[in-house]
Amino acid sequence: MNIFIMILIALFMGTYYLISSPSLRIREQEIDYAITRADLRSIAECALAAHNATINGSDFDDVCVSENDIKNYVVCMSAKNTITPCEGAKNKKPEYSYILTTTAPIPDDKYNDMMEILEQHYANVGTFGVFLDDQIVSGGGTKRSIPSSMTKQYSVNDGQLVYLTQYDIPEAETDYETTDSDGVICPAGTAKVYRFGRWQCINVNPKTNCAGDMIWSVDLSECVPDESRKPLCAAQQTAVIVDDVWECLDPFSDKTCPGNMVARLNYNTLEWECITDPNATQTAKKCDHLTGGAVSGKQGAMLRIPSSSCTDCEVLYVDQDTCRAVCIPDETKLNDSRCYPDSGRSCSGGNRGFYFGFPDRAYIANVSAVRSVSVPLDSDHSKNRKFNCMDCGERGIDESKSLPPYVIVCN
């Protein structure tokens, strides 16, 4: 008997635990949350569908409209935000026109759930949200103001789901009746157009756009200079049309100049003077053919035969007396990383400086930049086609004998 009672008690306790277990309660809460979310989202979707139908000029008669008390209004307002008739006055459209959609108020404890739905599904619709404190609070917390005259006129209250869209009222199409044109025959050079309630023959203007400072002349039927664009020229100058554009040119002079000379107006003295004709002067080129020798090196070393084609990091020097061309580094490229990897930063300071390793005295004689200093040719100065860095250390640089970046001599 005792065993039978204990079995009944165990069955009763197990059933009670299963019914009231936490896992079942959590499942019930999840189901309730999903139902609430689905109901709120259906309200938002219904309001959105009704609003879009009003924009397209149609009706949305779903049962959800009456269940959620969804209403659509076409609102027109003046520049002072007062409500006006949408027909306008004296054929003038109103300043602003809106479409307003409202729903029944949402319970206070459902605000956060509706905000989550707006943020998740309608985040890009900035004027679709819950109406709170005279503002539309949309997904993500964005707030948009709404005219107070509109909220008072249509009794918009806190907690309602509101969708507001501004649109432009289209212009009314106007149809004009035209008479039959079979009896109107226009001569050559004219065109038939309908003006002032009847067909007319008007002259055809084949060219109305003129280039530059030209304008179309109806009398001459051609482009002529536009006098309104004629410039104000300096003294002793005249405005003339050159290639369809006004230009100020020097006046013609009566001064006679000898051969290979032309007259020019001196604007300081306003007098004509004779100068050498620049078109008759030819630049004499002494060195039509450039020569160059092999770069010196140690005995047995491979020598490079130079040419007049220098690299992007070099500049060409030509001796006009001997017509000998040599390439030396361009001092303007010291800060160019394509010529010197560190842009010359490693060879800066009081004891460091750039120099060029000239190969021989004949090479030096062709470079006018170093004719004022004595160029050393010792083994301490490398012989190559770039600027090298000389580090004098504690001795320092002899400023009197150095000419960077070509020559560096240490104390």
Side-chain angles (χ1 to χ4, degrees), residues 41 77 138 179 213 249 271 279 302 314 332 350 360 372:
R41 183 176 179 182
M77 307 188 74
S138 59
T179 59
D213 296 331
L249 299 180
E271 295 180 355
N279 297 324
M302 182 181 295
E314 296 175 326
T332 62
D360 51 32
S372 61

Side-chain angles (χ1 to χ4, degrees), residues 26-332:
I26 293 175
R27 183 179 179 184
E28 291 175 356
Q29 291 177 357
E30 291 178 349
I31 293 175
D32 293 341
Y33 176 73
I35 294 174
T36 301
R37 294 264 300 185
D39 292 340
L40 293 177
R41 183 176 179 182
S42 65
I43 297 174
E45 291 178 348
C46 186
L48 187 68
H51 189 85
N52 291 334
T54 305
I55 293 177
N56 297 325
S58 59
D59 295 328
F60 182 70
D61 297 330
D62 192 87
V63 66
C64 66
V65 174
S66 59
E67 289 179 349
N68 299 289
D69 195 18
I70 296 176
K71 298 178 181 178
N72 295 300
Y73 307 99
V74 178
V75 187
C76 296
M77 307 188 74
S78 65
K80 297 181 180 180
N81 286 336
T82 58
I83 296 178
T84 61
C86 292
E87 292 76 11
K90 296 181 181 179
N91 295 326
K92 182 180 179 181
K93 296 190 301 183
E95 293 292 334
Y96 305 104
S97 49
Y98 302 92
I99 294 177
L100 175 66
T101 301
T102 62
T103 68
I106 300 172
D108 297 349
D109 57 346
K110 304 299 181 183
Y111 284 176
N112 292 335
D113 295 332
M114 180 58 77
M115 289 298 178
E116 291 180 2
I117 293 173
L118 294 174
E119 184 176 4
Q120 182 178 359
H121 301 285
Y122 310 101
N124 296 327
V125 187
T127 55
F128 183 34
V130 180
F131 185 75
L132 294 171
D133 298 330
D134 296 330
Q135 289 181 325
I136 300 175
V137 183
S138 59
T142 304
K143 297 180 180 180
R144 299 293 177 89
S145 299
I146 182 172
S148 58
S149 58
M150 188 184 302
T151 58
K152 293 178 181 178
Q153 177 70 22
Y154 300 103
S155 301
V156 183
N157 301 314
D158 288 351
Q160 288 183 283
L161 194 62
V162 175
Y163 193 177
L164 182 66
T165 299
Q166 184 178 358
Y167 75 104
D168 187 19
I169 297 177
E171 295 283 354
E173 296 183 359
T174 304
D175 295 330
Y176 296 96
E177 294 182 358
T178 60
T179 59
D180 190 9
S181 63
D182 295 338
V184 179
I185 300 176
C186 295
T190 63
K192 182 171 58 176
V193 297
Y194 191 80
R195 297 195 310 172
F196 309 114
R198 63 187 180 90
W199 289 100
Q200 298 179 2
C201 296
I202 64 172
N203 293 326
V204 177
N205 191 348
K207 186 173 183 180
T208 57
N209 295 326
C210 299
D213 296 331
M214 309 292 284
I215 190 172
W216 179 256
S217 174
V218 179
D219 298 332
L220 300 177
S221 296
E222 64 181 8
C223 291
V224 297
D226 187 358
E227 296 294 332
S228 64
R229 297 185 181 183
K230 188 175 182 179
L232 296 176
C233 298
Q236 306 296 330
Q237 283 192 325
T238 303
V240 296
I241 286 287
V242 179
D243 295 332
D244 299 334
V245 178
W246 285 110
E247 289 189 9
C248 292
L249 299 180
D250 296 333
F252 299 102
S253 106
D254 55 357
K255 187 177 182 63
T256 303
C257 296
N260 295 330
M261 300 190 76
V262 294
R264 184 187 67 178
L265 179 65
N266 188 330
Y267 288 99
N268 295 323
T269 61
L270 295 180
E271 295 180 355
W272 288 93
E273 57 187 13
C274 292
I275 62 169
T276 303
D277 187 0
N279 297 324
T281 304
Q282 296 181 355
T283 304
K285 296 182 179 179
K286 179 180 178 181
C287 299
D288 293 333
H289 301 283
L290 303 179
T291 62
V295 175
S296 301
K298 294 182 179 181
Q299 186 175 2
M302 182 181 295
L303 301 183
R304 177 185 55 81
I305 304 300
S307 66
S308 60
S309 178
C310 301
T311 66
D312 293 338
C313 302
E314 296 175 326
V315 63
L316 179 68
Y317 277 88
V318 180
D319 189 337
Q320 295 297 329
D321 296 330
T322 62
C323 293
R324 189 170 186 267
V326 293
C327 293
I328 69 170
D330 188 355
E331 59 180 307
T332 62

